[in-house]
């Protein structure tokens, strides 16, 4: 029995992970920002992905989101999809 | 062409263990045919790994067929590869190290990025997964970074300077340049040098997965549809000696070592800087007394990551200017994969043979032109052209660059 996925809460958690890595205020993170816009360079982006995977216990596909150029919204969508897949599999 | 300094150095032996099996000849034959050594990952944990493909030494490799039962327990897989490649190179050179105490004047400089990784992983698995309290008593002997250099020196009675140089994916080239400098400076008359790595441990494969730079299908350097690098393993070893030493004994010379260039980007830990790579190429040319227009072929680092291939293309343009457009450039990693610290060694086999045979190996899997990669990468089919001189590029994570300049045998 798992809680239904709360998209808004998940988005806030992802914003917080990104903000922590970028050392910025979570309020600055917008869905349309890219990681690059927020000053998260390639190696930091890998850490963001790792933190998100750990936080939600999911695994992104290897050739999944383009972490430098995709938007934060793209990342949120990818997490929601991974969580939904996980729920279906459970 | 002028020789700026020191003794001239030639290569009189080469050996390899690669995804194409034992022997430099089988490696070269595959490369000139454009044949790939990349296949589905063979690993006890393959079922739960996301790594799909790899370029591994063939499954029928049997260490017991090559080493006696007293030696084998001391050897991690990378030392086995290193010893076999050295054995082949030394046999080809025809040198007798017992004669006139030559062993005392012979250096062993081996490049390795990772060291005894399989033994590390195996023993840690015993401790952490099986809750064992003891590990194999020869674990330290197997995993110490200097193991392959020590093993080669012991196997052949080589008593000159011996150690391992480590600079991730540039390890071989740093080792070869160091070995050549020793001969130039008179610290040694002969050197056995090259590189070895064997990195298919569960732990390291997981670490590569987390880095997100691995291709899941094949290796496509300089192609717009490239998806990352493909891990490989192997070793390549070479016998270097001074030209007069080789000529005095009537040795067959495979190629001349012209010179080397080394630099550090001192910028990002992973993102390559074309300025640093170009500086290493320019220094290699100068060290060899060559001008950009003297070079006919570059064996590129060409990993097939997004970042490398664009940065390396820019670096070649920076170093070669207008001469870049008449170069043949290829990445043989498209076929033998990325053997980490040994990749420069497999690529040196390719470069030496390109000089000897006048055949440039292709970049396999180059199907879709990338506008940001605008050199002649010899797509998919080897090309017969006279190769007077060539460069072999290696650029490591950590921004460490090492470039070799080779010339046809005098």
């Amino acid at each position: 029995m798992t809680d239904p996925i709360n998209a808004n809460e998940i988005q806030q958690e992802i914003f917080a992970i990104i903000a922590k890595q970028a050392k910025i205020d979570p309020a600055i993170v917008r869905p349309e920002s890219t990681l690059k816009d927020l000053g998260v360079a390639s190696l930091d982006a890998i850490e963001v992905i790792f933190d998100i995977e750990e936080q939600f216990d999911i695994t992104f596909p290897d050739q999944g989101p383009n972490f430098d150029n995709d938007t934060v919204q793209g990342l949120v969508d990818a997490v929601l999809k991974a969580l939904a897949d996980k729920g279906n599999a459970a | 062409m002028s020789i700026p300094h020191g003794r001239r150095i030639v290569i009189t032996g080469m050996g390899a263990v690669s995804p194409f099996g034992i022997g430099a000849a089988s490696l070269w034959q595959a490369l000139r045919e454009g044949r790939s050594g990349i296949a589905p990952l063979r690993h006890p944990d393959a079922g739960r790994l996301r790594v799909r493909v790899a370029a591994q030494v063939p499954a029928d490799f049997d260490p017991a067929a090559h080493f006696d039962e007293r030696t084998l327990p001391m050897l991690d897989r990378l030392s086995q590869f290193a010893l076999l490649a050295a054995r082949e190179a030394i046999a080809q050179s025809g040198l007798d190290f017992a004669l006139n105490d030559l062993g005392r004047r012979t250096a062993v400089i081996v490049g390795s990025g990772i060291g005894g990784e399989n033994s590390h992983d195996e023993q840690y698995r015993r401790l952490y997964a099986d809750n064992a309290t003891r590990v194999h008593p020869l674990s330290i002997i197997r995993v110490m970074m200097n193991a392959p250099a020590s093993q080669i020196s012991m196997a052949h009675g080589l008593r000159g300077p011996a150690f391992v140089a480590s600079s991730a994916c540039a390890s071989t080239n740093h080792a070869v340049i160091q070995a050549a400098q020793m001969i130039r400076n008179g610290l040694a008359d002969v050197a056995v040098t090259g590189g070895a790595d064997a990195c298919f441990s569960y732990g390291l494969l997981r670490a590569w997965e987390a880095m997100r730079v691995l291709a899941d299908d094949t290796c496509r350097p300089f192609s717009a549809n490239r998806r990352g690098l493909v891990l490989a393993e192997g070793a390549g070893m070479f016998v270097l000696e001074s030209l007069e030493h080789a000529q005095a004994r009537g040795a067959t010379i495979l190629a001349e070592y012209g010179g080397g260039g080394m630099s550090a980007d001192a910028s990002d830990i992973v993102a390559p800087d074309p300025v640093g790579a170009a500086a290493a190429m320019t220094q290699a040319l100068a060290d060899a007394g060559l001008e950009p227009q003297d070079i006919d072929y570059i064996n590129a680092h060409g990993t097939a990551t997004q970042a490398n291939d664009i940065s390396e293309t820019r670096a070649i343009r920076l170093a070669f200017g207008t001469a870049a457009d008449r170069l043949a450039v290829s990445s043989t990693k498209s076929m033998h994969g990325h053997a980490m610290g040994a990749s420069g060694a497999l690529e040196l086999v390719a470069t030496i043979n390109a000089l000897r045979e006048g055949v440039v190996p292709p970049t396999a899997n180059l199907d879709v032109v990338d506008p940001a990669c605008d050199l002649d990468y010899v797509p998919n089919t080897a090309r017969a052209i006279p190769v007077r001189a060539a460069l072999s590029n290696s650029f490591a994570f950590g921004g460490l660059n090492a470039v070799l300049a080779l010339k046809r045998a005098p």
Side-chain angles (χ1 to χ4, degrees):
Chain A
M1 184 72 186
T2 50
D3 293 331
I5 294 168
N6 183 328
N8 192 44
E9 248 175 50
I10 285 163
Q11 175 164 321
Q12 289 312 311
E13 284 181 57
I14 293 169
F15 282 17
I17 289 169
I18 294 168
K20 190 172 164 235
Q21 189 69 42
K23 297 184 176 59
I24 54 173
D25 183 343
I28 298 172
V29 182
R30 306 249 73 90
E32 64 274 17
S33 326
T34 65
L35 290 183
K36 210 180 241 171
D37 295 340
L38 299 170
V40 181
S42 62
L43 203 57
D44 304 326
I46 300 172
E47 291 194 69
V48 166
I49 297 307
F50 174 76
D51 289 345
I52 290 174
E53 287 183 332
E54 287 282 287
Q55 170 92 12
F56 298 104
D57 191 23
I58 55 171
T59 302
F60 288 122
D62 266 345
Q63 305 281 340
N66 176 337
F67 307 117
D68 285 336
N69 300 319
D70 267 13
T71 60
V72 171
Q73 186 60 50
L75 211 49
V76 172
D77 292 343
V79 172
L80 291 172
K81 181 175 183 309
L83 286 171
D85 291 349
K86 201 170 86 168
N88 292 337
Chain B
M1 295 190 219
S2 66
I3 302 303
H5 44 69
R7 302 198 279 179
R8 288 174 73 181
I9 295 156
V10 293
I11 300 168
T12 55
M14 63 180 160
V17 177
S18 78
F20 305 100
I22 298 170
S26 61
L27 168 60
W28 171 241
Q29 191 172 342
L31 298 182
R32 61 172 290 171
E33 288 170 8
R35 192 150 40 87
S36 176
I38 296 167
L41 175 70
R42 216 173 57 234
H43 196 277
D45 297 301
R48 54 186 176 138
L49 282 160
R50 302 211 310 283
V51 179
R52 299 260 66 89
V53 292
Q56 293 168 283
V57 169
D60 63 5
F61 174 71
D62 176 15
H66 305 287
F67 303 101
D68 64 58
E69 58 192 21
R70 286 192 57 240
T71 310
L72 197 51
M74 294 194 287
L75 305 177
D76 184 86
R77 189 168 166 89
L78 103 154
S79 292
Q80 297 167 16
F81 294 165
L83 277 166
L84 286 173
R87 202 184 274 177
E88 180 187 356
I90 289 167
Q92 183 177 32
S93 77
L95 282 167
D96 177 356
F97 294 109
L99 196 66
N100 301 321
D101 206 18
L102 181 62
R104 180 69 197 87
R105 299 282 305 155
T106 300
V108 184
I109 316 295
V110 177
S112 179
I114 297 157
E117 175 62 22
N118 285 285
S119 302
H120 267 296
D121 202 60
E122 218 171 88
Q123 302 307 319
Y124 288 163
R125 190 189 290 262
R126 284 171 58 94
L127 293 177
Y128 300 140
D130 305 341
N131 287 319
T133 52
R134 267 187 301 275
V135 299
H136 192 280
L138 298 180
S139 295
I140 297 293
I141 306 301
R142 288 183 200 163
V143 304
M144 58 191 192
M145 272 306 286
N146 57 308
S150 298
Q151 293 294 346
I152 292 170
S153 92
M154 285 160 51
H156 299 279
L158 311 180
R159 287 169 290 124
F163 55 83
V164 161
S166 188
S167 55
C169 313
S171 299
T172 288
N173 284 6
H174 277 108
V176 170
I177 293 169
Q178 182 60 47
Q181 289 293 358
M182 285 187 182
I183 299 173
R184 270 186 183 164
N185 298 338
L187 284 170
D189 293 326
V190 175
V192 176
T193 184
D197 258 321
C199 60
F200 286 96
S201 70
Y202 180 66
L204 206 61
L205 288 168
R206 283 295 196 203
W208 278 107
E209 283 179 354
M211 193 101 203
R212 294 183 173 276
V213 289
L214 298 185
D216 55 1
D217 54 351
T218 191
C219 181
R220 309 173 185 280
F222 304 110
S223 195
N225 57 350
R226 64 189 179 276
R227 295 165 74 87
L229 61 88
V230 172
L231 294 171
E233 61 180 352
M237 292 291 158
F238 306 86
V239 173
L240 270 55
E241 57 190 301
S242 66
L243 176 62
E244 65 265 31
H245 193 272
Q247 285 175 334
R249 66 188 189 89
T252 301
I253 295 170
L254 304 178
E256 179 169 0
Y257 169 89
M262 303 181 278
S263 69
D265 291 348
S267 57
D268 191 274
I269 190 74
V270 290
D273 179 357
V275 174
M281 285 186 257
T282 301
Q283 193 188 75
L285 291 173
D287 193 42
L290 294 168
E291 301 292 333
Q293 58 270 22
D294 298 326
I295 300 291
D296 294 312
Y297 172 57
I298 298 180
N299 186 298
H301 187 52
T303 55
T305 60
Q306 285 301 326
N308 174 81
D309 293 1
I310 294 171
S311 174
E312 185 168 14
T313 299
R314 282 188 198 143
I316 290 170
R317 289 209 170 276
L318 275 175
F320 280 79
T322 52
D325 287 312
R326 47 161 301 282
L327 286 169
V329 178
S330 72
S331 169
T332 47
K333 284 191 180 75
S334 57
M335 296 170 278
H336 57 61
H338 194 339
M340 305 287 102
S343 58
L346 303 185
E347 288 154 22
L348 187 51
V349 169
T351 307
I352 290 169
N353 279 303
L355 287 159
R356 291 176 80 199
E357 297 189 6
V359 172
V360 169
T363 303
N365 308 316
L366 207 177
D367 307 321
V368 187
V369 173
D370 180 348
C373 300
D374 59 355
L375 296 165
D376 174 2
Y377 303 106
V378 195
N380 301 318
T381 311
R383 188 184 299 162
I385 50 164
V387 182
R388 297 163 298 158
L391 295 186
S392 183
N393 285 346
S394 286
F395 310 132
F397 274 176
L400 309 186
N401 312 301
V403 176
L404 306 178
L406 286 300
K407 303 176 188 179
R408 266 203 297 239

